Amino acid sequence: MKFAIIAAGEGSRLKEEGVAAPSLIRIFRDNGAEEIDIIINNLHPETAAHLEHLRQTGRAEDIRLVVKTTPSSMHSFFELSPFLADAPFCLTTVDTIFREEEFADYIRRFRESGLDGMMAVTDYIDDEKPLYVGTDSALNITGFHDTDEGDRYISGGIYCLAPKAIHTLHRCMDEGQSRMRNFQRALVADGLKLKACPFSKILDVDHAEDIRKAEEFLSDNNQKY
C-alpha cells in the first residue's frame, strides 16, 4: 500500500510543511508504507531540504518527491496520480492532525475491506466549510453535501482509495473541476463502493487558533507528532 502527502497549494497555511511532513512519513512507515509520494510547492524549500537530507543519509529510498505549486489540493493529487495508479493508497494533506492509533485501525480496516474507498470522518465539527458525509446504517457513503442534511459526520480529509479512483480523478480534471469535494461526489456518481471510518477527532490546521487546538489535542492524548 502506498501513502501520499499533499503540501503544494497556494493557500497561506500557518503550520509549516517542514514540521508536519516528517511526522507523517514516520506514521506512514509505522503502518507499512511501501512507498510515500509527496508534493510540495516552491515556497517551502525547507521541506525539500529535509527530504534531501533523508536521501543523503539513506532514509528516503521509499520517498518520491514532486516540487510544483498548484492551485488546489485536487490539482496536487493529479500531479501525484501517476505514482498511485497501480496500488491501493492513502492520501492526506500535510496539516491534518489525528490520533495515531485511530489511523492505524483505519488503515487496517481498509486493507481488509476490499472496498473501492474508505474515508476518514468525524463528528467533531470545527471547520469553516465542512463537507458533510451522508451514510446509511452500515456506514456506506451515500453522498457528500455542502450543508447539513441530517448527516452525523463530516469529511476528515484522509482518503484511502483503490487505483480505480484515479480514473474518476482524471475525469474531474477533464471537466475542469478543482475541489476535492467534487472529486468525492464524482466517486459516488461513478458507482464506487465507499465506506466511512469514524475518528473521534480530526483537526485541519489552517489558522493560528488551530495550532493551539492541535497542541492541546495531541498533549491530551500523549501523541508524538
Side-chain angles (χ1 to χ4, degrees):
M1 183 171 173
K2 298 182 178 182
F3 291 75
I5 303 171
I6 292 175
E10 291 182 342
S12 57
R13 304 288 190 186
L14 295 184
K15 187 173 179 65
E16 294 294 330
E17 284 92 334
V19 174
S23 296
L24 287 174
I25 290 170
R26 175 187 60 76
I27 293 168
F28 292 167
R29 286 172 171 165
D30 286 348
N31 285 277
E34 63 183 70
E35 180 178 295
I36 301 172
D37 305 308
I38 305 172
I39 180 168
I40 64 175
N41 65 32
N42 297 304
L43 303 177
H44 294 280
E46 69 279 2
T47 305
H50 175 80
L51 295 174
E52 179 59 29
H53 172 71
L54 291 179
R55 188 172 288 110
Q56 290 177 358
T57 55
R59 293 179 290 163
E61 292 85 355
D62 56 349
I63 295 175
R64 295 191 186 190
L65 178 65
V66 175
V67 180
K68 185 173 184 178
T69 298
T70 64
S72 75
S73 292
M74 199 170 87
H75 285 81
S76 296
F77 180 19
F78 179 76
E79 295 296 329
L80 290 176
S81 64
F83 303 136
L84 304 174
D86 61 350
F89 61 90
C90 177
L91 173 75
T92 186
T93 56
V94 73
D95 45 12
T96 301
I97 309 296
F98 47 79
R99 290 188 172 98
E100 290 186 34
E101 68 273 14
E102 292 183 339
F103 182 79
D105 183 62
Y106 166 59
I107 296 300
R108 178 190 59 77
R109 290 173 63 184
F110 174 66
R111 281 183 165 136
E112 296 173 354
S113 71
L115 294 167
D116 297 323
M118 184 173 284
M119 307 304 204
V121 300
T122 180
D123 57 8
Y124 174 79
I125 301 177
D126 186 32
D127 195 305
E128 294 173 352
K129 296 180 180 179
L131 177 64
Y132 294 90
V133 182
T135 62
D136 63 16
S137 59
L139 293 180
N140 296 302
I141 293 176
T142 57
F144 296 93
H145 313 126
D146 288 327
T147 58
D148 185 358
E149 298 186 11
D151 307 312
R152 176 177 178 181
Y153 298 108
I154 65 168
S155 173
I158 310 173
Y159 322 97
C160 277
L161 295 165
K164 66 191 299 184
I166 299 298
H167 297 292
T168 299
L169 172 66
H170 285 208
R171 176 173 69 78
C172 289
M173 293 294 292
D174 289 341
E175 294 173 354
Q177 302 285 353
S178 62
R179 305 183 72 191
M180 284 297 290
R181 60 183 57 197
N182 290 332
F183 162 69
Q184 292 176 80
R185 291 187 181 106
L187 292 173
V188 175
D190 284 352
L192 275 70
K193 185 171 177 146
L194 309 175
K195 203 155 195 171
C197 180
F199 282 52
S200 59
K201 185 183 290 189
I202 300 174
L203 297 178
D204 187 38
V205 181
D206 288 319
H207 305 291
E209 178 67 9
D210 295 332
I211 295 176
R212 181 189 63 78
K213 291 177 181 178
E215 289 173 345
E216 291 178 353
F217 171 50
L218 297 175
S219 176
D220 288 345
N221 292 278
N222 296 315
Q223 296 291 295
K224 294 180 180 178
Y225 192 79

